Amino acid sequence: MTSGIPDEYFVRGNIPMTKEEIRVLSISKLRLKEDSTIWDIGAGTGSVSVEAALAAKKGVVYSIEKEKEGIKLISENIKKFNVNNIVVVNGIAPDVLMDLPSPDRVFIGGTGDKMHHIFDIVTSKLKEKGIVVINGITLDTAYYANHYFKQKNYDVQTICVNVSVSREAGQKTMMVSQNPVYIISAKRE
Amino acid sequence: MTSGIPDEYFVRGNIPMTKEEIRVLSISKLRLKEDSTIWDIGAGTGSVSVEAALAAKKGVVYSIEKEKEGIKLISENIKKFNVNNIVVVNGIAPDVLMDLPSPDRVFIGGTGDKMHHIFDIVTSKLKEKGIVVINGITLDTAYYANHYFKQKNYDVQTICVNVSVSREAGQKTMMVSQNPVYIISAKRE
Amino acid sequence: MTSGIPDEYFVRGNIPMTKEEIRVLSISKLRLKEDSTIWDIGAGTGSVSVEAALAAKKGVVYSIEKEKEGIKLISENIKKFNVNNIVVVNGIAPDVLMDLPSPDRVFIGGTGDKMHHIFDIVTSKLKEKGIVVINGITLDTAYYANHYFKQKNYDVQTICVNVSVSREAGQKTMMVSQNPVYIISAKRE
Amino acid sequence: MTSGIPDEYFVRGNIPMTKEEIRVLSISKLRLKEDSTIWDIGAGTGSVSVEAALAAKKGVVYSIEKEKEGIKLISENIKKFNVNNIVVVNGIAPDVLMDLPSPDRVFIGGTGDKMHHIFDIVTSKLKEKGIVVINGITLDTAYYANHYFKQKNYDVQTICVNVSVSREAGQKTMMVSQNPVYIISAKRE
């Protein structure tokens, strides 16, 4: 089976969801193994958590989310996709991170104002050869995440992805843009 | 495990290889199942075949390639990734396609001048609910593939993907573009 | 003075307006001369007509528009920018084109279903060394315009432009995409 | 006449030249007036200087360039386009900037390691309602320029431009990407 569950298969509320193409690329950059321990920080609807849990069948995904609506959606998507290796953590990063098991892989979908603190705790807890993948929609996150992990001597790659998707317009097919997303991947040497 | 083997893990010759991000997205759009029968038309280095074979563990991938150098590279990559469900077909599409088992999934990485004939045979052999994914780097392929499968009443989605990748430039990080690729996905209803 | 009047300076109704960056690039590809005779087919709000009229001070711009609201907006923008070398033509292309003076330059912002007929009349009336610039937001227009003028032995260049624009998001700066636009430039040899 | 001189019209050496589309957009964002005093910092081949000088006919362009080859190319392009309102300044920014007349408009094509100092001097000398336009190909410049001028209370807009250009490939037309460029425009209130 391939990763890349279409967006519309997930239960979604009013919470922004990572778009299918970005989710697939982010999961790919995580280079998950069957038994990876994964943190999904700012899990939102749980779409990345679900895909990660399906790929890391013998691993565990910790879905960290502060909003109650998010927690509800994650639970519904866990049920819908029938995965049993997701632990839902209702709380605010970085506060709740210290008590979680050290991760092999960390996905950060959104960081709000505490990016710096979250990165500090992630790098203090990440296992050797661990990988962090960050999605950024701002210049600030792209620059800062790239810069931070380079300074920590991680092996860093940043890609910027511009996807446009077809939409029927009468007999013709127009292309509609998604906003550009930066995917920063940092591997601990 | 996640799809998305980095480019440098493959044995590559002078044959152009689908870039990692495009390969991941294309594999994802194929929505492979464990037992899918897959045609990889214009297999090149075999990178898509290998990823498809790893995802469809109980299925079979037919890697169709006309160039001898391609055949050699595919064989080396099969050995390197230790997959045993790829059948290498040395020949020219569409000629060799008629004798292959009907596919559930078809990936077309390049079509040369015979796009029209290849599409005709693919649509005549594709199983119900089957999916065809095409990569196009020309306006002609993007338009024509989109148009062809719409007319055949397939459910068609076309995305255009612009990826740029970071490269160190002194203390700074510049972004280097890959060429845009159109990924056309067509599902038979 | 430079071309590139910001979008918000124009009187706009509910009619879609070419975005500033696309307008600037399109005007540039037109390589206007001071005394050019210009057709602006599907003039919309008249934003391209106004910029063209300012650049071709001793020339004439024929703004062809079928919608009454468009005609009203063009007239208001002519007044606002105080240009006196725009002739407003209320009618449908290609019907009204035959009676206009032969153009040196033609801009086609939108073509609807009559693209083929419009191109035929434009090529029959365009002066030697004349230039046609087309904006396309569909795969169909991009492919077809490119293909049409190549077959007529014009010197054709097509660019695809993806622009994203900053928007403040709290303390951070996010990037918001405009849809991709194809700008096809065809020069008669 | 319109701005947007094609790349191949300029005398070019081995010095990287701003691509036509980026040059046109940058000139447009400068919102030049007929009598503007303009600094072109890191003038390279002088392509931006020439276009600015043609647009600001009664103004003056100071082309600052440290490399001897650049100075030679600028001089050749001044001659080729027959402009008489460019002052060539052979020196390193920010050192040479203090002695120049206060500018209405500043274009910064490249900043090297001294970005911070250059911005400081530019903001100390820029006239009221002046405009600074910066081209950045790195995440660092995009982030930093955006951030710097926001903090100085300028009205800042950043766009990211991805252009791909057609190239003939047999009977088909492929699209070839230019690297993404950030164009930061900052207006002093």
Side-chain angles (χ1 to χ4, degrees):
Chain A
M1 291 218 318
T2 43
S3 63
I5 301 168
D7 289 348
E8 61 269 25
Y9 285 33
F10 290 100
V11 182
R12 296 181 284 181
N14 296 317
I15 283 191
M17 190 172 73
T18 306
K19 290 267 192 296
E20 176 189 326
E21 289 81 8
I22 301 304
R23 189 167 60 243
V24 169
L25 288 171
S26 298
I27 291 276
S28 162
K29 296 292 184 188
L30 278 172
R31 315 264 181 238
L32 298 177
K33 297 190 175 170
E34 224 176 36
D35 62 350
S36 297
T37 297
I38 302 153
W39 291 0
D40 178 7
I41 301 178
T45 59
S47 62
V48 169
S49 289
V50 164
E51 293 241 31
L54 290 170
K57 277 172 198 157
K58 298 177 183 167
V60 184
V61 179
Y62 293 88
S63 302
I64 298 109
E65 171 60 35
K66 63 180 174 184
E67 303 288 351
K68 278 195 180 161
E69 195 193 342
I71 296 294
K72 189 165 153 280
L73 290 171
I74 296 168
S75 305
E76 292 185 75
N77 281 315
I78 286 173
K79 205 177 289 176
K80 179 161 188 197
F81 289 93
N82 198 28
V83 288
N84 57 16
N85 52 342
I86 293 179
V87 177
V88 182
V89 181
N90 190 351
I92 295 178
D95 302 349
V96 299
L97 300 177
M98 283 309 292
D99 298 331
L100 299 179
S102 289
D104 302 292
R105 301 290 186 265
V106 177
F107 176 73
I108 306 178
T111 54
D113 299 332
K114 300 187 172 165
M115 184 161 51
H116 191 282
H117 297 297
I118 292 174
F119 288 176
D120 280 349
I121 290 186
V122 163
T123 50
S124 77
K125 298 266 290 183
L126 186 70
K127 290 189 200 165
E128 262 184 48
K129 308 219 166 187
I131 297 174
V132 183
V133 172
I134 300 127
N135 284 359
I137 57 169
T138 65
L139 285 180
D140 310 73
T141 299
Y143 166 76
Y144 184 71
N146 189 270
H147 192 69
Y148 180 95
F149 288 98
K150 271 169 65 181
Q151 284 202 319
K152 295 276 184 187
N153 288 316
Y154 280 57
D155 185 14
V156 183
Q157 184 205 51
T158 297
I159 66 173
C160 182
V161 184
N162 284 274
V163 174
S164 54
V165 181
S166 58
R167 181 188 295 168
E168 297 310 297
Q171 296 295 312
K172 298 184 177 178
T173 301
M174 70 174 288
M175 301 301 289
V176 179
S177 283
Q178 298 173 1
N179 289 337
V181 179
Y182 296 91
I183 304 178
I184 301 98
S185 317
K187 184 173 184 180
R188 186 172 200 162
E189 298 296 358
Chain B
M1 291 219 318
T2 42
S3 64
I5 300 168
D7 289 349
E8 60 269 24
Y9 284 34
F10 290 101
V11 183
R12 297 181 284 180
N14 297 317
I15 283 192
M17 190 173 73
T18 306
K19 290 268 191 297
E20 176 190 325
E21 289 80 9
I22 301 303
R23 189 167 61 245
V24 170
L25 287 171
S26 298
I27 291 277
S28 161
K29 295 292 184 188
L30 278 172
R31 316 260 180 243
L32 298 177
K33 297 190 175 171
E34 224 176 34
D35 62 350
S36 297
T37 297
I38 302 154
W39 291 0
D40 178 8
I41 302 178
T45 59
S47 63
V48 169
S49 289
V50 165
E51 293 242 30
L54 290 170
K57 279 172 197 156
K58 298 178 184 166
V60 183
V61 179
Y62 294 88
S63 301
I64 298 109
E65 172 59 34
K66 61 180 175 184
E67 304 288 353
K68 277 195 181 163
E69 195 194 342
I71 296 294
K72 190 166 151 279
L73 290 171
I74 297 169
S75 305
E76 292 186 75
N77 281 316
I78 286 173
K79 206 178 289 175
K80 178 160 189 196
F81 289 94
N82 198 28
V83 289
N84 57 14
N85 52 340
I86 293 180
V87 176
V88 182
V89 181
N90 190 352
I92 294 179
D95 302 350
V96 299
L97 300 177
M98 282 310 292
D99 298 332
L100 299 179
S102 290
D104 302 294
R105 301 289 186 266
V106 177
F107 176 73
I108 306 178
T111 55
D113 298 332
K114 300 188 172 166
M115 183 160 53
H116 190 282
H117 297 298
I118 292 174
F119 287 176
D120 280 349
I121 292 187
V122 164
T123 50
S124 77
K125 297 268 289 184
L126 186 72
K127 289 189 200 166
E128 262 185 48
K129 307 220 166 186
I131 297 174
V132 183
V133 171
I134 300 127
N135 284 359
I137 57 168
T138 64
L139 284 180
D140 311 72
T141 299
Y143 166 75
Y144 184 70
N146 188 269
H147 192 70
Y148 180 94
F149 289 98
K150 271 169 65 181
Q151 284 202 319
K152 294 278 184 186
N153 287 316
Y154 281 56
D155 185 14
V156 183
Q157 183 205 50
T158 297
I159 67 173
C160 182
V161 184
N162 284 275
V163 173
S164 54
V165 180
S166 59
R167 180 188 296 167
E168 296 311 297
Q171 296 296 313
K172 298 185 177 178
T173 301
M174 69 173 289
M175 301 302 289
V176 179
S177 283
Q178 298 173 1
N179 289 337
V181 179
Y182 295 91
I183 304 178
I184 302 97
S185 317
K187 184 174 183 182
R188 185 172 199 163
E189 298 296 358
Chain C
M1 290 217 320
T2 43
S3 63
I5 301 168
D7 289 349
E8 60 269 23
Y9 285 32
F10 290 101
V11 182
R12 297 182 282 183
N14 297 316
I15 283 192
M17 188 172 74
T18 306
K19 290 268 192 297
E20 176 190 324
E21 289 82 9
I22 301 304
R23 188 167 60 244
V24 169
L25 288 170
S26 299
I27 291 276
S28 162
K29 296 291 185 190
L30 278 172
R31 316 263 180 240
L32 298 177
K33 297 189 176 171
E34 226 175 35
D35 62 350
S36 298
T37 297
I38 302 154
W39 292 358
D40 178 8
I41 303 178
T45 59
S47 62
V48 169
S49 289
V50 166
E51 293 242 30
L54 290 171
K57 278 170 199 158
K58 298 177 185 167
V60 183
V61 180
Y62 294 88
S63 302
I64 298 110
E65 171 60 35
K66 62 180 174 184
E67 304 288 352
K68 277 196 181 161
E69 195 194 340
I71 295 295
K72 190 166 150 280
L73 291 170
I74 296 168
S75 306
E76 292 185 74
N77 281 314
I78 286 173
K79 204 177 292 176
K80 178 161 188 195
F81 290 93
N82 198 26
V83 288
N84 57 14
N85 52 341
I86 294 179
V87 177
V88 182
V89 181
N90 190 352
I92 295 179
D95 303 349
V96 297
L97 300 177
M98 284 309 292
D99 298 331
L100 299 179
S102 289
D104 303 291
R105 302 291 186 262
V106 177
F107 176 73
I108 307 179
T111 54
D113 299 332
K114 299 188 173 165
M115 183 161 51
H116 191 283
H117 297 297
I118 292 174
F119 288 175
D120 280 349
I121 291 186
V122 163
T123 51
S124 77
K125 297 267 288 184
L126 186 71
K127 289 189 199 164
E128 262 186 49
K129 309 220 166 187
I131 297 175
V132 183
V133 171
I134 301 127
N135 284 359
I137 57 169
T138 66
L139 285 180
D140 310 72
T141 299
Y143 166 76
Y144 184 71
N146 188 270
H147 192 70
Y148 180 93
F149 288 97
K150 272 169 64 181
Q151 284 202 320
K152 294 279 184 186
N153 287 317
Y154 280 58
D155 185 15
V156 183
Q157 184 205 51
T158 297
I159 67 173
C160 181
V161 184
N162 283 273
V163 173
S164 53
V165 181
S166 59
R167 180 189 295 167
E168 297 310 296
Q171 295 297 313
K172 299 185 176 177
T173 301
M174 70 174 289
M175 300 302 288
V176 179
S177 284
Q178 296 173 3
N179 290 337
V181 178
Y182 296 91
I183 304 178
I184 301 97
S185 317
K187 183 173 183 181
R188 185 172 201 163
E189 299 295 359
Chain D
M1 289 217 319
T2 44
S3 63
I5 300 168
D7 290 348
E8 61 268 24
Y9 284 34
F10 290 101
V11 182
R12 295 181 286 180
N14 296 315
I15 283 193
M17 189 172 74
T18 305
K19 291 265 192 298
E20 176 189 326
E21 289 82 8
I22 301 303
R23 189 167 59 245
V24 170
L25 287 170
S26 298
I27 291 276
S28 162
K29 295 293 185 188
L30 278 172
R31 316 258 179 246
L32 299 177
K33 298 191 175 170
E34 226 175 33
D35 62 350
S36 297
T37 297
I38 302 155
W39 291 0
D40 178 7
I41 302 178
T45 58
S47 62
V48 169
S49 289
V50 166
E51 293 242 31
L54 290 171
K57 277 171 201 159
K58 299 178 185 167
V60 184
V61 180
Y62 294 87
S63 301
I64 298 110
E65 172 60 34
K66 61 180 175 185
E67 305 287 354
K68 277 195 181 163
E69 196 193 342
I71 295 296
K72 191 166 151 281
L73 291 170
I74 296 168
S75 305
E76 292 185 74
N77 281 314
I78 286 173
K79 206 178 289 177
K80 179 161 188 194
F81 289 94
N82 198 26
V83 288
N84 57 14
N85 51 341
I86 293 180
V87 177
V88 182
V89 181
N90 190 354
I92 294 180
D95 303 349
V96 298
L97 300 177
M98 282 309 292
D99 298 332
L100 299 179
S102 290
D104 302 294
R105 301 289 187 263
V106 178
F107 176 73
I108 306 178
T111 54
D113 299 333
K114 300 187 172 166
M115 182 161 54
H116 190 282
H117 296 298
I118 292 174
F119 288 176
D120 280 349
I121 291 187
V122 164
T123 50
S124 77
K125 298 267 289 183
L126 186 71
K127 290 190 201 165
E128 262 185 50
K129 308 220 167 187
I131 296 175
V132 184
V133 172
I134 300 128
N135 283 359
I137 59 169
T138 65
L139 285 180
D140 310 71
T141 299
Y143 166 75
Y144 184 71
N146 188 269
H147 193 69
Y148 180 93
F149 289 98
K150 271 169 65 181
Q151 283 203 320
K152 294 279 185 186
N153 287 317
Y154 281 57
D155 184 13
V156 183
Q157 183 205 52
T158 297
I159 67 173
C160 181
V161 183
N162 283 274
V163 173
S164 54
V165 181
S166 59
R167 180 188 295 168
E168 296 311 295
Q171 296 297 312
K172 299 184 177 179
T173 301
M174 70 173 289
M175 300 302 288
V176 179
S177 283
Q178 298 173 0
N179 289 337
V181 179
Y182 295 90
I183 304 177
I184 301 97
S185 318
K187 184 174 183 181
R188 186 172 200 163
E189 298 296 359

